[in-house]
Amino acid sequence: MTHVGVMGGGLQGCCIAMALADHGARVTLFDRNPALLTRAAVANEGKVHLGYMYGGDPSLRTAKMMMRGALSFAPLLCRWLANDAGDFETSDPAAYVVHRCSQQEPDRIHAYLNAVHRLIQDAVGTSRRGDYFNADLASPIRPWSKRELEIELSNQALAAFQSPEVAIDPVALADLIRQRIAATPTIEVRTNHLITAVDLERSRVASTSNDIQHDDGFDHIVNSLWDGRIAIDSTAGMRPRRKWIHRLKYGVSFRPPDAARPARSMTIVLGPFGEVVRYRNGTVYLTWYPSCLTDRTFDAEPPFWPIMPDEPLRSTIFGGTYSGLAAIHPVLSEYAADELSDVVVRGGPIVAWGETDIDDPNSELHNRFEIGVTSVGRYHSVDPGKLTMAPYFADECARRIIGAVSTHAVSGCRAV
Ligand SMILES: Cc1cc2nc3c(=O)[nH]c(=O)nc-3n(C[C@H](O)[C@H](O)[C@H](O)COP(=O)(O)OP(=O)(O)OC[C@H]3O[C@@H](n4cnc5c(N)ncnc54)[C@H](O)[C@@H]3O)c2cc1C
């Protein structure tokens, strides 16, 4: 049985472990934390991007990449979790709201959304509604009426376009994945293991746990360490040829009072704005760039940023995010702060190519298509770019490994 060492127990690493187990491989899954899925994987709003967000990349390459990930997201997870697409905790579909300081005019954004929507419709045809959480992909992108705009948005918004795009509650998804992995005897989980280096030639992984050093050999090694990926790749002699940026971004979630008017899911474009996500269970998630983006570095390895911020940063993030979004979506100001329950401020690292942030229209952060699996022999380094892409690249990585194994096995020259 092929034995694969998977480094990183976030969404990407866990999906790779499940995909490999599905193909009959044995997996050892490493993470530095005491449990799986505790970092970026659960710190995000879980938008499963169909590509509408990437109007800053008019080539549509980012949209096409996201679409590929989004349309395989539910089918792959349903296979690995023995689940149905309708069982996932998802959000209401999001509207794309054009801010008055947007980098692009409403007509241009509408034209971009329509172009992406046509690509999606071409990709799914009429018969595969289940591929994207049973969403209605057949209806056109709908501009909000004047009345809808007046009721839901302030004069900071110029226009809004209704899309079918949803988010998946990443915390609920993480619970399902943890259960699946715990019930899979061919996946061994080694938490509290800090990966320190990889020896490519000998196909070995060095780690430390409780001050004890470990050195384990595998048939294949996968690097899905997200913010730890570039540093460990470099111990294996792989260095990126471009500039990258690690950014620390937070989000705020809470439950509004039961009888309150519901918030609408929306993404405010195009530039450093934010999002409102309302999951079907009533939980609301907010992220607002000016308050939620708190740090960044161009170092190979960012600091081990805390997922939960301490005071006074926590209150600053919460207050700034809430008031920033309430100024656009006034329903939020109908909820008194002391009526909110289950308030959580949580964040994580975002890793991407680029030298400037998204307030720069020319930033590489608008282009997210150069991501995926890079393989050198039996070493595979996976940059998901977004949560959206994790199942898709997991499937690709597992196929590469299993394909490589069977090719080697046929030729009888598999080096172990
Ligand atoms: C606030 C926020 C909002 C976001 N919103 C979205 C969104 O709506 N849609 C979307 O598609 N994407 C979104 N993203 C991006 C998405 O969260 C990430 O692309 C994705 O989660 C990264 O993959 P991961 O889950 O495997 O990372 P992680 O969960 O960070 O997993 C990496 C794991 O590796 C472990 N690790 C790292 N270094 C080491 C080491 N040296 N040794 C051992 N273990 C190590 C960590 O402990 C961690 O568990 C968002 C990100 C943030 C922070």
Side-chain angles (χ1 to χ4, degrees), residues 99 101-103 268-275 287-290 328 358:
H99 194 273
C101 301
S102 170
Q103 289 164 2
I268 299 141
V269 288
L270 188 68
F273 304 116
E275 291 181 81
T287 183
W288 178 242
Y289 262 90
I328 296 170
I358 60 165

Side-chain angles (χ1 to χ4, degrees), residues 10-12 31-32 40-41 44-45 47 195 226 348 386-388:
L11 185 67
Q12 185 62 81
D31 202 282
R32 66 188 292 169
N44 66 82
E45 69 266 37
K47 183 185 266 267
I195 306 294
W226 189 231
K386 302 292 280 179
L387 158 131
T388 302

Side-chain angles (χ1 to χ4, degrees), residues 270-285:
L270 188 68
F273 304 116
E275 291 181 81
V276 179
V277 178
R278 182 181 171 277
Y279 302 102
R280 287 179 304 169
N281 66 13
T283 300
V284 175
Y285 178 103

Side-chain angles (χ1 to χ4, degrees), residues 7-15 30-49 53-54 66 73 166-168 170 190 192-197 206-208 223-229 231-232 247-252 275 277 279 285-287 289 292-293 301 304 307 346-351 368 382-390:
M7 307 183 293
L11 185 67
Q12 185 62 81
C14 288
C15 285
F30 295 91
D31 202 282
R32 66 188 292 169
N33 280 342
L36 298 175
L37 297 152
T38 54
R39 298 274 297 164
V42 286
N44 66 82
E45 69 266 37
K47 183 185 266 267
V48 184
H49 288 280
M53 173 100 119
Y54 295 94
M66 292 297 145
F73 194 97
V166 298
I168 185 165
R190 288 201 204 159
N192 293 313
H193 276 255
L194 178 73
I195 306 294
T196 51
S207 62
T208 58
N223 180 351
S224 46
L225 294 168
W226 189 231
D227 55 325
R229 191 180 67 89
I232 294 301
R247 297 175 300 150
L248 173 60
K249 187 177 163 203
Y250 287 97
V252 169
E275 291 181 81
V277 178
Y279 302 102
Y285 178 103
L286 310 177
T287 183
Y289 262 90
C292 290
L293 199 65
E301 192 168 10
F304 194 60
I307 291 297
R346 188 170 16 213
I350 300 185
V351 190
R368 298 290 182 94
V382 187
D383 174 9
K386 302 292 280 179
L387 158 131
T388 302
M389 300 304 303

